[in-house]
Amino acid sequence: MLHALRWGLAVLVTWLWAAVAVAQSASDIVWVQIEAHQGLRVATERAQIYSGNLQDVNGFSIGGGWYGIALGPYRRGDAEIVLRNYRADGRIPNDSYLALSNSYQQQFWPVGANVLNRGVISAPLTADPETQTAQVATPDPEIPEPQQVVPDETPAEARRSEQLLSRSEREDLQIALEWAGFYNSSIDGAFGRGTRRSMAAWQEANSIEPTGILTTAQRAMLFQQYNAVLDGMDLRRVREDTAGIEIVLPTGVVAFDKYEFPFAQFSPKGELDAQVLLISQAGDQNTLFGLYEIMQTLEIVPLDGDRERGKTSFRITGQNASRISYTEAVLRDGQVKGFTLVWPAGDEDRRTRVLEEMRKSFTATPGVLDPTWSDNDDQAIDLVAGLQIRKPRLSRSGFFVDNIGTVVTTVDAVESCTRITLDEDTDATLALKDAQLGVAVLKPVSAIAPLSVAQFATTAPRLQSDVAVAGFSYGGVLGAPTMSFGALSDLRGLRGESELTRIEVETLEGDAGGPVFDQSGALLGMLLPRPTTGRQLPAEVSFAADGDIIQAILVAEGVNTRSQTNAQTMPPEDITAQARGMTVLVSCWD
């Protein structure tokens, strides 16, 4: 009896060790799952495409009407190498993962194969016996596509398949749940209560039993939803050896255009107005800081958005009603490298996903762009490296009225502006607007010390006496105000308006808002824009807002104005010098 018991125990131990060995062997054989589709025909077409470029392509039913495409089978170490290398080369999706054989049911690809001995699903293909090329059969619209009814994984099986996921794969799952709006905690790869609750919420939203454990098919479904936004982007790893940068780019919407130091430029290739710049140049911290300032002058970098500059890197986000751009650059080993992504506004789902892939994949490789390298022969003062410098929507003139930089200008210069600047480098805010008179008062955000300020006239000038107008006639192109000389026609408007002065002088659109001087250099008023409606007036007829009324508005606002103390006639050159010290370019930006 004792002998029989010992023999039975020995047999049991042997069986247990064999079972453990089989289990270990089974877990050591894995697959690289690359895609899953809900529908046999689509899955078969995708498997056929992959088979033209990769070896070991197989397709299996994975339950719930889903069909997976996998590479293998491989031993785990080999599978990890295949997964890593194929991801890096862009030959398989970034969300590919390792899976066990028990994740798969009947096989549908290759046609007739049965590597798991679980039955074969007939693929909806016909083969040409001469070319051996599989062609997609056209289904009879009256006969529905056959669906294999196979059970999905049980919660226990799903947990076991989860255990095969790497930490990065588990983090990717949390990222996908976060993107779907079901997860709002830290991305740590730990499937705790918060992650489980988010999984259950996602399952419920997709009419799946909310177990809080995602099966292999459900994970594939989640990632398919997550990646659907990238359809048409054709994300590929691009190695730009000239610039010394390797990065994943949306090659479906941008294509290489040209080199313009320090950029390798990728321009739109279709209807989507997207653009990519790869930044590459040798330099030091001064180079980095200079690039930081230059980038913010470009039209592709709108004014609004976060700016962040550190000792060795910077990030710039710019956005307006039409576009959003993101730039990052880093200084390392005497080289400044980075990138800019420009994307249309209102397409945040795709933009953020593309940007995420670009940031995650960005790698500096040997080499930088040559400073003399340019594919563009065009030269223009409003271009930097072939890129348009940002320009204001409009520019007009103004003038300083006190020692802290308060400016008077025309209302037209400040209507519906996102940003107002003085001489294009000092931000200003609108302190007061008198729409009836057409006068606006601006305050600089940071203090300004003007070279000269307006001195308001204390005596009425004589009719037909000389007057002068200072203004940025050409919108700041010349860098300094120009002077226009003429005569005083009337102390009132054409209809007797007492708040207007009529002058005989030819001016341009950019002069509006500029100061009008009498022959002693005192301020008579502010030049108003030419009327755009009503009767067409002669070119030499202009109007100015009365200086006495402007001064009264300023005093009521608490501005310390100056009045003229010497009414002696000044030479034109002295009036010009005084005017250039007090006249300022006022710019309105979108």
Side-chain angles (χ1 to χ4, degrees):
M1 181 68 177
L2 182 60
H3 176 75
L5 181 59
R6 288 176 177 173
W7 181 84
L9 289 173
V11 171
L12 179 59
V13 170
T14 301
W15 180 86
L16 289 172
W17 276 110
V20 170
V22 169
Q24 289 176 336
S25 175
S27 65
D28 192 47
I29 302 301
V30 295
W31 304 74
V32 177
Q33 178 155 324
I34 54 179
E35 284 190 9
H37 298 277
Q38 199 167 24
L40 181 59
R41 182 172 305 284
V42 174
T44 303
E45 292 173 359
R46 294 295 295 165
Q48 180 182 355
I49 292 172
Y50 275 114
S51 295
N53 300 298
L54 300 174
Q55 297 179 348
D56 308 322
V57 178
N58 291 274
F60 304 97
S61 167
I62 56 178
W66 282 81
Y67 301 87
I69 303 171
L71 306 179
Y74 306 115
R75 293 202 174 275
R76 177 174 292 276
D78 294 335
E80 290 174 349
I81 294 174
V82 169
L83 179 66
R84 182 171 59 252
N85 290 346
Y86 279 6
R87 273 180 175 175
D89 293 341
R91 303 179 71 181
I92 61 175
N94 285 334
D95 58 1
S96 302
Y97 59 92
L98 300 185
L100 288 178
S101 296
N102 62 12
S103 302
Y104 305 123
Q105 305 296 327
Q106 291 96 330
Q107 186 165 6
F108 68 85
W109 185 270
V111 178
N114 187 14
V115 298
L116 297 178
N117 296 316
R118 296 187 182 182
V120 178
I121 297 174
S122 298
L125 302 175
T126 58
D128 183 334
E130 294 183 3
T131 63
Q132 298 298 310
T133 300
Q135 302 293 329
V136 178
T138 303
D140 187 335
E142 298 180 359
I143 303 175
E145 182 178 303
Q147 295 291 324
Q148 299 296 319
V149 180
V150 292
D152 204 352
E153 293 174 336
T154 65
E157 291 171 334
R159 281 190 182 276
R160 285 197 291 271
S161 66
E162 272 186 353
Q163 293 172 1
L164 296 174
L165 301 177
S166 67
R167 175 170 178 170
S168 64
E169 290 168 339
R170 295 162 75 92
E171 290 175 349
D172 288 342
L173 196 61
Q174 289 176 324
I175 291 171
L177 287 167
E178 181 182 52
W179 169 86
F182 298 99
Y183 184 71
N184 59 4
S185 188
S186 59
I187 306 300
D188 54 11
F191 289 177
R193 291 182 180 180
T195 304
R196 293 297 178 196
R197 281 195 297 269
S198 70
M199 289 179 178
W202 177 86
Q203 288 172 320
E204 190 169 14
N206 287 272
S207 302
I208 300 170
E209 181 185 359
T211 63
I213 307 168
L214 300 186
T215 65
T216 301
Q218 291 165 12
R219 294 196 300 269
M221 180 179 178
L222 172 61
F223 280 121
Q224 185 182 39
Q225 294 172 352
Y226 178 61
N227 289 317
V229 71
L230 296 177
D231 288 348
M233 296 295 98
D234 196 13
L235 292 178
R236 294 179 182 271
R237 183 174 291 272
V238 174
R239 185 180 179 92
E240 176 48 65
D241 289 327
T242 303
I245 292 174
E246 188 172 330
I247 189 172
V248 169
L249 294 180
T251 61
V253 294
V254 299
F256 176 77
D257 184 6
K258 59 187 175 182
Y259 296 111
E260 282 288 343
F261 180 83
F263 306 120
Q265 299 183 18
F266 291 74
S267 299
K269 62 186 294 186
E271 295 182 358
L272 189 70
D273 190 18
Q275 186 176 355
V276 171
L277 305 177
L278 300 185
I279 302 167
S280 173
Q281 65 179 126
D284 53 18
Q285 188 181 71
N286 291 332
T287 308
L288 180 76
F289 288 2
L291 180 64
Y292 174 77
E293 299 297 336
I294 290 172
M295 293 301 302
Q296 296 179 78
T297 69
L298 299 181
E299 189 175 36
I300 61 173
V301 182
L303 288 168
D304 287 345
D306 295 333
R307 270 73 168 154
E308 177 186 336
R309 193 192 74 179
K311 294 181 179 179
T312 59
S313 64
F314 68 75
R315 294 180 182 177
I316 301 172
T317 299
Q319 60 186 62
N320 58 22
S322 61
R323 65 164 61 98
I324 300 178
S325 75
Y326 174 87
T327 301
E328 69 174 46
V330 62
L331 170 64
R332 185 176 294 121
D333 299 328
Q335 297 180 346
V336 176
K337 292 189 178 181
F339 70 89
T340 296
L341 173 66
V342 184
W343 206 264
D347 190 19
E348 275 301 275
D349 283 348
R350 285 198 294 184
R351 186 190 76 85
T352 54
R353 288 296 310 284
V354 169
L355 178 58
E356 175 188 351
E357 295 300 327
M358 291 178 65
R359 293 191 63 193
K360 186 166 56 177
S361 63
F362 182 86
T363 306
T365 60
V368 291
L369 287 178
D370 188 327
T372 64
W373 198 329
S374 172
D375 292 344
N376 191 356
D377 294 331
D378 296 335
Q379 298 187 51
I381 62 173
D382 57 354
L383 296 180
V384 171
L387 299 172
Q388 184 71 48
I389 295 175
R390 189 191 319 104
K391 294 186 291 187
R393 172 157 51 86
L394 60 83
S395 292
R396 298 293 183 262
S397 302
F399 54 94
F400 294 114
V401 293
D402 65 12
N403 289 329
I404 61 174
T406 302
V407 169
V408 168
T409 187
T410 172
V411 167
D412 289 7
V414 296
E415 293 284 17
S416 304
C417 303
T418 300
R419 179 190 181 205
I420 302 170
T421 60
L422 307 177
D423 288 337
E424 293 192 345
D425 58 7
T426 300
D427 288 334
T429 58
L430 181 61
L432 176 69
K433 181 171 70 172
D434 188 319
Q436 183 175 356
L437 187 60
V439 170
V441 179
L442 306 178
K443 295 282 189 179
V445 172
S446 55
I448 297 177
L451 294 177
S452 61
V453 300
Q455 296 183 29
F456 288 84
T458 56
T459 59
R462 296 174 60 86
L463 294 180
Q464 298 304 314
S465 60
D466 293 337
V467 296
V469 177
F472 288 86
S473 308
Y474 303 98
V477 172
L478 298 180
T482 56
M483 300 296 294
S484 301
F485 296 92
L488 175 65
S489 298
D490 199 338
L491 295 177
R492 296 177 181 272
L494 291 175
R495 294 185 177 88
E497 300 95 334
S498 60
E499 70 275 12
L500 297 181
T501 299
R502 178 161 60 93
I503 56 179
E504 184 179 340
V505 60
E506 289 194 29
T507 58
L508 297 177
E509 190 176 48
D511 293 317
V516 179
F517 304 96
D518 66 14
Q519 57 191 359
S520 68
L523 185 84
L524 286 179
M526 180 200 77
L527 183 71
L528 292 169
R530 292 183 61 80
T532 56
T533 59
R535 296 180 181 275
Q536 187 71 31
L537 298 176
E540 67 275 9
V541 176
S542 299
F543 298 92
D546 183 75
D548 290 342
I549 298 178
I550 294 174
Q551 187 175 28
I553 292 173
L554 293 170
V555 171
E557 188 66 17
V559 178
N560 294 320
T561 62
R562 292 185 184 180
S563 297
Q564 185 191 50
T565 58
N566 186 352
Q568 293 182 353
T569 300
M570 291 179 62
E573 57 269 24
D574 291 346
I575 294 177
T576 298
Q578 175 181 297
R580 288 185 172 176
M582 61 180 279
T583 307
V584 61
L585 179 68
V586 178
S587 299
C588 174
W589 304 79
D590 289 330

